[in-house]
Short mmCIF file of all heavy atoms in Angstrom, two decimals:
data_model
loop_
_atom_site.label_atom_id
_atom_site.label_comp_id
_atom_site.label_asym_id
_atom_site.label_seq_id
_atom_site.Cartn_x
_atom_site.Cartn_y
_atom_site.Cartn_z
N CYS A 1620 3.79 -21.75 19.08
CA CYS A 1620 4.03 -21.05 17.80
C CYS A 1620 5.53 -21.05 17.51
O CYS A 1620 6.36 -21.20 18.40
CB CYS A 1620 3.49 -19.62 17.91
SG CYS A 1620 3.73 -18.62 16.41
N HIS A 1621 5.89 -20.85 16.26
CA HIS A 1621 7.30 -20.81 15.89
C HIS A 1621 8.03 -19.64 16.54
O HIS A 1621 9.26 -19.62 16.60
CB HIS A 1621 7.46 -20.75 14.36
CG HIS A 1621 6.90 -19.52 13.74
ND1 HIS A 1621 5.61 -19.45 13.25
CD2 HIS A 1621 7.43 -18.29 13.52
CE1 HIS A 1621 5.39 -18.26 12.75
NE2 HIS A 1621 6.46 -17.54 12.90
N CYS A 1622 7.28 -18.64 17.04
CA CYS A 1622 7.92 -17.50 17.70
C CYS A 1622 8.37 -17.85 19.11
O CYS A 1622 9.13 -17.10 19.73
CB CYS A 1622 6.98 -16.30 17.73
SG CYS A 1622 5.61 -16.43 18.90
N GLY A 1623 7.86 -18.97 19.67
CA GLY A 1623 8.22 -19.38 21.01
C GLY A 1623 7.09 -19.28 22.01
O GLY A 1623 7.14 -19.89 23.09
N ASN A 1624 6.05 -18.51 21.68
CA ASN A 1624 4.89 -18.40 22.56
C ASN A 1624 3.86 -19.48 22.25
O ASN A 1624 4.00 -20.24 21.29
CB ASN A 1624 4.25 -17.01 22.40
CG ASN A 1624 5.09 -15.91 23.02
OD1 ASN A 1624 5.61 -16.07 24.12
ND2 ASN A 1624 5.22 -14.80 22.31
N ARG A 1625 2.82 -19.51 23.03
CA ARG A 1625 1.72 -20.44 22.82
C ARG A 1625 0.43 -19.69 22.51
O ARG A 1625 0.17 -18.64 23.08
CB ARG A 1625 1.50 -21.33 24.05
CG ARG A 1625 2.58 -22.37 24.26
CD ARG A 1625 2.21 -23.34 25.36
NE ARG A 1625 3.21 -24.41 25.47
CZ ARG A 1625 3.18 -25.51 24.74
NH1 ARG A 1625 2.21 -25.71 23.86
NH2 ARG A 1625 4.12 -26.43 24.88
N GLY A 1626 -0.37 -20.27 21.63
CA GLY A 1626 -1.69 -19.73 21.35
C GLY A 1626 -1.72 -18.45 20.56
O GLY A 1626 -2.61 -17.61 20.74
N CYS A 1627 -0.76 -18.26 19.66
CA CYS A 1627 -0.76 -17.06 18.81
C CYS A 1627 -1.88 -17.13 17.77
O CYS A 1627 -2.33 -18.21 17.37
CB CYS A 1627 0.58 -16.91 18.08
SG CYS A 1627 1.95 -16.47 19.15
N LEU A 1628 -2.32 -15.96 17.30
CA LEU A 1628 -3.34 -15.88 16.27
C LEU A 1628 -2.90 -16.65 15.02
O LEU A 1628 -3.73 -17.25 14.33
CB LEU A 1628 -3.63 -14.42 15.93
CG LEU A 1628 -4.72 -14.14 14.90
CD1 LEU A 1628 -6.07 -14.63 15.39
CD2 LEU A 1628 -4.78 -12.64 14.57
N HIS A 1629 -1.61 -16.63 14.73
CA HIS A 1629 -1.06 -17.35 13.57
C HIS A 1629 -1.50 -18.81 13.57
O HIS A 1629 -1.89 -19.36 12.53
CB HIS A 1629 0.47 -17.26 13.60
CG HIS A 1629 1.15 -18.09 12.56
ND1 HIS A 1629 1.58 -17.58 11.36
CD2 HIS A 1629 1.45 -19.42 12.53
CE1 HIS A 1629 2.13 -18.55 10.64
NE2 HIS A 1629 2.07 -19.67 11.34
N GLY A 1630 -1.45 -19.45 14.75
CA GLY A 1630 -1.79 -20.86 14.81
C GLY A 1630 -3.24 -21.17 14.49
O GLY A 1630 -3.58 -22.28 14.08
N SER A 1631 -4.11 -20.18 14.63
CA SER A 1631 -5.54 -20.38 14.36
C SER A 1631 -5.95 -19.98 12.96
O SER A 1631 -6.95 -20.47 12.44
CB SER A 1631 -6.38 -19.58 15.36
OG SER A 1631 -6.16 -20.02 16.68
N LEU A 1632 -5.19 -19.07 12.32
CA LEU A 1632 -5.64 -18.51 11.05
C LEU A 1632 -4.75 -18.82 9.85
O LEU A 1632 -5.22 -18.77 8.71
CB LEU A 1632 -5.75 -16.98 11.17
CG LEU A 1632 -6.94 -16.40 11.92
CD1 LEU A 1632 -6.88 -14.88 11.90
CD2 LEU A 1632 -8.25 -16.87 11.30
N ALA A 1633 -3.48 -19.09 10.04
CA ALA A 1633 -2.55 -19.22 8.92
C ALA A 1633 -2.92 -20.37 7.99
O ALA A 1633 -3.32 -21.45 8.44
CB ALA A 1633 -1.13 -19.41 9.44
N LEU A 1634 -2.79 -20.13 6.71
CA LEU A 1634 -3.14 -21.16 5.72
C LEU A 1634 -2.20 -22.35 5.77
O LEU A 1634 -2.61 -23.46 5.41
CB LEU A 1634 -3.14 -20.56 4.31
CG LEU A 1634 -4.18 -19.46 4.01
CD1 LEU A 1634 -4.15 -19.12 2.54
CD2 LEU A 1634 -5.56 -19.88 4.44
N ASP A 1635 -0.95 -22.14 6.20
CA ASP A 1635 -0.05 -23.29 6.24
C ASP A 1635 -0.55 -24.33 7.24
O ASP A 1635 -0.42 -25.54 7.02
CB ASP A 1635 1.38 -22.86 6.54
CG ASP A 1635 1.56 -22.26 7.93
OD1 ASP A 1635 0.55 -21.99 8.61
OD2 ASP A 1635 2.72 -22.06 8.34
N GLY A 1636 -1.16 -23.87 8.34
CA GLY A 1636 -1.74 -24.80 9.29
C GLY A 1636 -3.01 -25.45 8.78
O GLY A 1636 -3.24 -26.65 8.98
N LEU A 1637 -3.83 -24.68 8.09
CA LEU A 1637 -5.07 -25.21 7.53
C LEU A 1637 -4.77 -26.30 6.51
O LEU A 1637 -5.43 -27.35 6.48
CB LEU A 1637 -5.87 -24.09 6.88
CG LEU A 1637 -7.09 -24.49 6.05
CD1 LEU A 1637 -8.07 -25.32 6.87
CD2 LEU A 1637 -7.77 -23.26 5.46
#
Side-chain angles (χ1 to χ4, degrees):
C1620 179
H1621 63 267
C1622 73
N1624 288 317
R1625 288 189 175 274
C1627 289
L1628 183 63
H1629 173 97
S1631 298
L1632 284 182
L1634 296 187
D1635 65 350
L1637 171 57

